[in-house]
Amino acid sequence: DTSLAELNSFSPSVPISPSSMINQYKFEDGPELRDLFITVDDPESHITAIETFITYRVVTKTTRGEFDSSEYEVRRRYQDFLWLKSKLEEAHPTLIIPPLPEKFIMKGMVERFSDEFIETRRKALHKFLNRIADHPTLTFNEDFKIFLTAQAWELSSHKKQGPGLLSRMGQTVRAVASSVRGAIKNRPEMFTEMNNYMETFSQKINLLDKIAHRIYKEEREYFNEMKEYGPIHTLWSASEEDIAESLKGIASCIDRCCRATEKRMAGLSEHLLPILHEYVLYSEILMGVLKRRDQIQGELDSKVDALANKKTEKDLFSEEIGKLEDKVERANNALKADWDRWKQNMQWDMRSTFTNVAENNLRYYEE
């Protein structure tokens, strides 16, 4: 597919090492340019009569003048992160808001509230906040600042001021419904290309996600079977004096293979699976953003049609059309800038992830 071919367009002059390949694509924005650093750590269980939930410590360090202090420490639960994401979507409907891990995970992978699940979620929440912090627009959102700095009671009070969840859901449903009623007549060509790109990307990333999970499952089954063979050869050596040393050698070899396989599985579960799944979620988010942009365009088109048919007073409609034209232009510019940034990030993440997997595989087979 030519729309994704650029992902594999490495220059012949690039050195063979995967690490040196990836170094060709590092961003110019280094850590020295950042003025906001966020850490999510120290998960803590809370058990009440009504529910059991986890809170995470969010530590923020900053040199920005709009913050009253240079360091903050607050505790947040998953619902607080959901609230922040919904406020960002509400304030910036045509920007690409980073995904959150789902509330419920796939059955059979890990149990909810297990150490593995909590750590996976902590990493995802940490990445979510830092992606917002690194975004040129979202990082200055007032709700984001409140999320990082307000104590629990202050955040609870602030949440009550905004529209309720059902109200927001209603707005989203109406927006999506109106955006798919018919084809957008005057959609610029670049947004049609974005739609086509995302449809292809969504299919490919979902397929990669499924394949990666299947590989991990097969690797785990192989590992579990191999674990049984080492002890069997050790026991066997006790009853076969003539070949005892050979059998012990085989047992030792199997043990080394087990350790190498376990290390490769850890690499898959820590580096490959989370990145692929994050971009599965990103594909859903981007399709939603494109629909919201189309909805704004659709509003403008319907007003222009109504004016052309002289159904209402021209002066009133001309003013509304002017405002909608400005709204469409702002939405288009916001999405265009965010699209280029997201695509660059995505290509960087994919390159680094797959070269990391390649290096892990090389080490595995060498061992």
Side-chain angles (χ1 to χ4, degrees), residues 256-357:
R256 288 199 302 276
C257 287
C258 273
R259 288 198 298 272
T261 303
E262 193 169 27
K263 203 186 300 179
R264 181 158 78 155
M265 282 164 51
L268 290 172
S269 65
E270 289 174 23
H271 302 296
L272 179 65
L273 298 182
I275 289 289
L276 290 179
H277 194 63
E278 182 184 17
Y279 278 95
V280 168
L281 298 177
Y282 257 129
S283 69
E284 295 168 5
I285 287 167
L286 269 146
M287 294 302 278
V289 168
L290 287 163
K291 281 181 181 176
R292 288 195 289 273
R293 193 223 70 87
D294 281 354
Q295 189 231 349
I296 298 169
Q297 179 87 54
E299 279 184 67
L300 174 61
D301 292 347
S302 66
K303 295 286 184 189
V304 170
D305 288 346
L307 182 63
N309 296 331
K310 299 180 181 177
K311 289 179 182 175
T312 55
E313 295 179 14
K314 286 194 173 183
D315 292 343
L316 178 64
F317 255 47
S318 295
E319 188 181 340
E320 284 187 35
I321 286 170
K323 288 178 181 175
L324 277 169
E325 284 173 341
D326 290 344
K327 191 176 178 183
V328 168
E329 188 175 357
R330 286 197 303 272
N332 289 351
N333 291 337
L335 181 51
K336 275 190 277 190
D338 232 17
W339 171 260
D340 292 338
R341 189 176 175 280
W342 175 81
K343 208 168 170 186
Q344 190 182 25
N345 271 324
M346 179 271 289
Q347 291 173 350
W348 161 255
D349 282 342
M350 290 297 153
R351 286 184 178 113
S352 60
T353 296
F354 286 123
T355 49
N356 180 275
V357 170

Side-chain angles (χ1 to χ4, degrees), residues 210-272:
K210 287 177 185 173
I211 291 170
H213 276 93
R214 191 179 72 216
I215 289 170
Y216 182 80
K217 182 172 176 282
E218 289 174 358
E219 197 83 355
R220 179 173 284 284
E221 289 169 357
Y222 173 62
F223 170 73
N224 289 335
E225 285 185 23
M226 190 162 52
K227 268 199 309 188
E228 298 174 9
Y229 287 104
I232 286 171
H233 283 78
T234 303
L235 289 170
W236 188 8
S237 68
S239 58
E240 295 279 359
E241 288 184 16
D242 293 344
I243 56 172
E245 290 307 310
S246 296
L247 291 171
K248 285 177 184 175
I250 291 171
S252 174
C253 174
I254 291 171
D255 186 52
R256 288 199 302 276
C257 287
C258 273
R259 288 198 298 272
T261 303
E262 193 169 27
K263 203 186 300 179
R264 181 158 78 155
M265 282 164 51
L268 290 172
S269 65
E270 289 174 23
H271 302 296
L272 179 65

Side-chain angles (χ1 to χ4, degrees), residues 4-5 10 13 17 28 50 68 75 78 81 96 103 125 128 133 136 162 201 222 264 288 302 309 315 358:
L4 296 176
F10 290 114
S13 63
S17 160
E28 294 176 5
I50 303 170
D68 297 329
R75 294 203 74 85
Y78 181 77
F81 287 86
I96 302 166
K103 187 170 179 62
L125 297 176
F128 170 73
F201 179 83
Y222 173 62
R264 181 158 78 155
S302 66
N309 296 331
D315 292 343

Side-chain angles (χ1 to χ4, degrees), residues 11-23:
S11 163
S13 63
V14 173
I16 292 170
S17 160
S19 293
S20 53
M21 277 184 186
I22 209 65
N23 287 336

Side-chain angles (χ1 to χ4, degrees), residues 44 81 83 118 163 169 193 307-308 311 316 334:
E44 199 175 273
F81 287 86
W83 169 83
I118 292 168
M169 283 175 64
E193 289 173 6
L307 182 63
K311 289 179 182 175
L316 178 64

Side-chain angles (χ1 to χ4, degrees), residues 38-97:
I38 304 166
T39 306
V40 178
D41 61 11
D42 190 26
E44 199 175 273
S45 295
H46 300 263
I47 302 172
T48 69
I50 303 170
E51 61 179 340
T52 300
F53 60 93
I54 309 291
T55 62
Y56 300 85
R57 181 174 66 174
V58 179
V59 177
T60 304
K61 296 182 180 180
T62 183
T63 55
R64 289 186 188 173
E66 64 264 30
F67 285 82
D68 297 329
S69 174
S70 60
E71 188 168 339
Y72 295 87
E73 182 179 314
V74 295
R75 294 203 74 85
R76 297 286 181 254
R77 57 184 295 185
Y78 181 77
Q79 287 179 357
D80 299 327
F81 287 86
L82 275 179
W83 169 83
L84 173 61
K85 184 171 183 290
S86 70
K87 294 299 284 186
L88 292 173
E89 287 171 347
E90 195 179 293
H92 309 283
T94 55
L95 288 182
I96 302 166
I97 312 299

